[in-house]
mmCIF file of all heavy atoms in Angstrom:
data_model
loop_
_atom_site.group_PDB
_atom_site.id
_atom_site.type_symbol
_atom_site.label_atom_id
_atom_site.label_comp_id
_atom_site.label_asym_id
_atom_site.label_seq_id
_atom_site.Cartn_x
_atom_site.Cartn_y
_atom_site.Cartn_z
ATOM 1 N N ASP A 52 -19.455 12.778 -15.662
ATOM 2 C CA ASP A 52 -18.725 11.708 -14.991
ATOM 3 C C ASP A 52 -19.612 10.476 -14.822
ATOM 4 O O ASP A 52 -20.582 10.495 -14.061
ATOM 5 C CB ASP A 52 -18.229 12.208 -13.630
ATOM 6 C CG ASP A 52 -17.514 11.124 -12.838
ATOM 7 O OD1 ASP A 52 -17.086 10.127 -13.455
ATOM 8 O OD2 ASP A 52 -17.386 11.266 -11.612
ATOM 9 N N VAL A 54 -18.529 7.419 -13.700
ATOM 10 C CA VAL A 54 -18.159 6.625 -12.525
ATOM 11 C C VAL A 54 -18.909 7.105 -11.291
ATOM 12 O O VAL A 54 -19.445 6.304 -10.515
ATOM 13 C CB VAL A 54 -16.638 6.691 -12.288
ATOM 14 C CG1 VAL A 54 -16.272 6.097 -10.934
ATOM 15 C CG2 VAL A 54 -15.905 5.940 -13.381
ATOM 16 N N GLY A 55 -18.953 8.427 -11.078
ATOM 17 C CA GLY A 55 -19.661 8.955 -9.918
ATOM 18 C C GLY A 55 -21.136 8.603 -9.931
ATOM 19 O O GLY A 55 -21.719 8.250 -8.890
ATOM 20 N N ALA A 56 -21.756 8.668 -11.120
ATOM 21 C CA ALA A 56 -23.172 8.329 -11.231
ATOM 22 C C ALA A 56 -23.409 6.842 -10.976
ATOM 23 O O ALA A 56 -24.376 6.461 -10.306
ATOM 24 C CB ALA A 56 -23.688 8.714 -12.613
ATOM 25 N N ARG A 58 -21.488 4.834 -9.171
ATOM 26 C CA ARG A 58 -21.249 4.577 -7.751
ATOM 27 C C ARG A 58 -22.462 4.958 -6.908
ATOM 28 O O ARG A 58 -22.814 4.272 -5.951
ATOM 29 C CB ARG A 58 -20.014 5.354 -7.294
ATOM 30 C CG ARG A 58 -19.598 5.048 -5.867
ATOM 31 C CD ARG A 58 -18.390 5.872 -5.453
ATOM 32 N NE ARG A 58 -17.205 5.473 -6.188
ATOM 33 C CZ ARG A 58 -16.505 6.279 -6.965
ATOM 34 N NH1 ARG A 58 -16.888 7.543 -7.137
ATOM 35 N NH2 ARG A 58 -15.422 5.851 -7.586
ATOM 36 N N LEU A 59 -23.117 6.064 -7.282
ATOM 37 C CA LEU A 59 -24.310 6.496 -6.557
ATOM 38 C C LEU A 59 -25.476 5.550 -6.803
ATOM 39 O O LEU A 59 -26.263 5.258 -5.899
ATOM 40 C CB LEU A 59 -24.680 7.918 -6.975
ATOM 41 C CG LEU A 59 -25.881 8.553 -6.280
ATOM 42 C CD1 LEU A 59 -25.661 8.626 -4.777
ATOM 43 C CD2 LEU A 59 -26.152 9.940 -6.842
ATOM 44 N N ARG A 64 -22.826 5.879 -1.843
ATOM 45 C CA ARG A 64 -22.341 7.250 -2.010
ATOM 46 C C ARG A 64 -21.953 7.467 -3.463
ATOM 47 O O ARG A 64 -21.723 6.500 -4.209
ATOM 48 C CB ARG A 64 -21.124 7.507 -1.121
ATOM 49 C CG ARG A 64 -19.887 6.727 -1.519
ATOM 50 C CD ARG A 64 -18.735 6.943 -0.561
ATOM 51 N NE ARG A 64 -17.511 6.306 -1.008
ATOM 52 C CZ ARG A 64 -17.182 5.046 -0.779
ATOM 53 N NH1 ARG A 64 -18.027 4.279 -0.099
ATOM 54 N NH2 ARG A 64 -16.048 4.541 -1.209
ATOM 55 N N GLY A 65 -21.876 8.722 -3.878
ATOM 56 C CA GLY A 65 -21.472 9.036 -5.241
ATOM 57 C C GLY A 65 -21.853 10.449 -5.612
ATOM 58 O O GLY A 65 -22.340 11.223 -4.775
ATOM 59 N N GLU A 66 -21.634 10.789 -6.879
ATOM 60 C CA GLU A 66 -21.890 12.149 -7.356
ATOM 61 C C GLU A 66 -22.561 12.129 -8.722
ATOM 62 O O GLU A 66 -22.263 11.267 -9.551
ATOM 63 C CB GLU A 66 -20.583 12.954 -7.475
ATOM 64 C CG GLU A 66 -19.842 13.186 -6.177
ATOM 65 C CD GLU A 66 -18.892 12.059 -5.829
ATOM 66 O OE1 GLU A 66 -18.413 11.375 -6.757
ATOM 67 O OE2 GLU A 66 -18.658 11.854 -4.610
ATOM 68 N N ILE A 67 -23.445 13.077 -8.916
ATOM 69 C CA ILE A 67 -23.944 13.398 -10.251
ATOM 70 C C ILE A 67 -23.234 14.697 -10.631
ATOM 71 O O ILE A 67 -23.521 15.757 -10.061
ATOM 72 C CB ILE A 67 -25.470 13.600 -10.266
ATOM 73 C CG1 ILE A 67 -26.185 12.333 -9.786
ATOM 74 C CG2 ILE A 67 -25.939 13.984 -11.663
ATOM 75 C CD1 ILE A 67 -25.996 11.145 -10.689
ATOM 76 N N GLY A 68 -22.298 14.624 -11.550
ATOM 77 C CA GLY A 68 -21.489 15.803 -11.827
ATOM 78 C C GLY A 68 -20.976 15.852 -13.241
ATOM 79 O O GLY A 68 -20.983 14.859 -13.976
ATOM 80 N N ILE A 87 -23.639 17.352 -7.618
ATOM 81 C CA ILE A 87 -24.284 17.049 -6.345
ATOM 82 C C ILE A 87 -23.686 15.751 -5.811
ATOM 83 O O ILE A 87 -23.680 14.734 -6.510
ATOM 84 C CB ILE A 87 -25.810 16.885 -6.496
ATOM 85 C CG1 ILE A 87 -26.446 18.172 -7.014
ATOM 86 C CG2 ILE A 87 -26.428 16.471 -5.166
ATOM 87 C CD1 ILE A 87 -26.436 19.312 -6.027
ATOM 88 N N GLY A 88 -23.175 15.787 -4.583
ATOM 89 C CA GLY A 88 -22.673 14.586 -3.926
ATOM 90 C C GLY A 88 -23.677 14.095 -2.898
ATOM 91 O O GLY A 88 -24.321 14.896 -2.218
ATOM 92 N N LYS A 89 -23.797 12.777 -2.786
ATOM 93 C CA LYS A 89 -24.810 12.213 -1.889
ATOM 94 C C LYS A 89 -24.272 10.947 -1.234
ATOM 95 O O LYS A 89 -23.543 10.173 -1.865
ATOM 96 C CB LYS A 89 -26.080 11.879 -2.685
ATOM 97 C CG LYS A 89 -27.229 11.348 -1.849
ATOM 98 C CD LYS A 89 -28.470 11.114 -2.711
ATOM 99 C CE LYS A 89 -29.633 10.600 -1.880
ATOM 100 N NZ LYS A 89 -30.849 10.390 -2.709
ATOM 101 N N TYR A 108 -21.203 20.733 -4.901
ATOM 102 C CA TYR A 108 -19.771 21.007 -4.820
ATOM 103 C C TYR A 108 -19.331 21.666 -6.128
ATOM 104 O O TYR A 108 -20.046 21.616 -7.139
ATOM 105 C CB TYR A 108 -18.972 19.713 -4.592
ATOM 106 C CG TYR A 108 -19.041 18.748 -5.756
ATOM 107 C CD1 TYR A 108 -18.143 18.815 -6.823
ATOM 108 C CD2 TYR A 108 -20.038 17.773 -5.813
ATOM 109 C CE1 TYR A 108 -18.225 17.942 -7.897
ATOM 110 C CE2 TYR A 108 -20.121 16.892 -6.871
ATOM 111 C CZ TYR A 108 -19.204 16.985 -7.917
ATOM 112 O OH TYR A 108 -19.294 16.125 -8.978
ATOM 113 N N TYR A 208 -18.213 11.260 4.816
ATOM 114 C CA TYR A 208 -18.134 11.493 3.368
ATOM 115 C C TYR A 208 -18.295 12.983 3.088
ATOM 116 O O TYR A 208 -19.099 13.664 3.733
ATOM 117 C CB TYR A 208 -19.237 10.705 2.652
ATOM 118 C CG TYR A 208 -19.488 11.122 1.222
ATOM 119 C CD1 TYR A 208 -18.732 10.605 0.176
ATOM 120 C CD2 TYR A 208 -20.487 12.056 0.922
ATOM 121 C CE1 TYR A 208 -18.971 11.001 -1.133
ATOM 122 C CE2 TYR A 208 -20.726 12.443 -0.382
ATOM 123 C CZ TYR A 208 -19.960 11.918 -1.409
ATOM 124 O OH TYR A 208 -20.190 12.312 -2.699
ATOM 125 N N VAL A 209 -17.516 13.483 2.102
ATOM 126 C CA VAL A 209 -17.568 14.892 1.704
ATOM 127 C C VAL A 209 -17.981 14.965 0.236
ATOM 128 O O VAL A 209 -17.295 14.391 -0.624
ATOM 129 C CB VAL A 209 -16.202 15.578 1.895
ATOM 130 C CG1 VAL A 209 -16.273 17.044 1.474
ATOM 131 C CG2 VAL A 209 -15.745 15.460 3.346
ATOM 132 N N PRO A 210 -19.078 15.640 -0.109
ATOM 133 C CA PRO A 210 -19.504 15.740 -1.511
ATOM 134 C C PRO A 210 -18.411 16.325 -2.403
ATOM 135 O O PRO A 210 -17.835 17.368 -2.112
ATOM 136 C CB PRO A 210 -20.715 16.681 -1.437
ATOM 137 C CG PRO A 210 -21.250 16.494 -0.055
ATOM 138 C CD PRO A 210 -20.044 16.293 0.816
ATOM 139 N N GLY A 211 -18.111 15.633 -3.494
ATOM 140 C CA GLY A 211 -17.093 16.074 -4.428
ATOM 141 C C GLY A 211 -15.692 15.646 -4.090
ATOM 142 O O GLY A 211 -14.816 15.590 -4.963
ATOM 143 N N PHE A 212 -15.429 15.336 -2.828
ATOM 144 C CA PHE A 212 -14.102 14.913 -2.367
ATOM 145 C C PHE A 212 -14.031 13.410 -2.174
ATOM 146 O O PHE A 212 -13.047 12.769 -2.527
ATOM 147 C CB PHE A 212 -13.752 15.631 -1.064
ATOM 148 C CG PHE A 212 -12.380 15.306 -0.527
ATOM 149 C CD1 PHE A 212 -11.265 15.993 -0.986
ATOM 150 C CD2 PHE A 212 -12.213 14.330 0.444
ATOM 151 C CE1 PHE A 212 -10.002 15.693 -0.485
ATOM 152 C CE2 PHE A 212 -10.959 14.028 0.953
ATOM 153 C CZ PHE A 212 -9.842 14.720 0.478
ATOM 154 N N GLY A 213 -15.085 12.847 -1.589
ATOM 155 C CA GLY A 213 -15.113 11.416 -1.332
ATOM 156 C C GLY A 213 -15.061 11.125 0.149
ATOM 157 O O GLY A 213 -15.402 11.969 0.982
#
Side-chain angles (χ1 to χ4, degrees):
D52 177 19
V54 169
R58 186 181 292 120
L59 182 60
R64 67 184 186 274
E66 297 87 27
I67 301 295
I87 299 290
K89 183 177 181 179
Y108 66 88
Y208 165 85
V209 180
F212 182 85

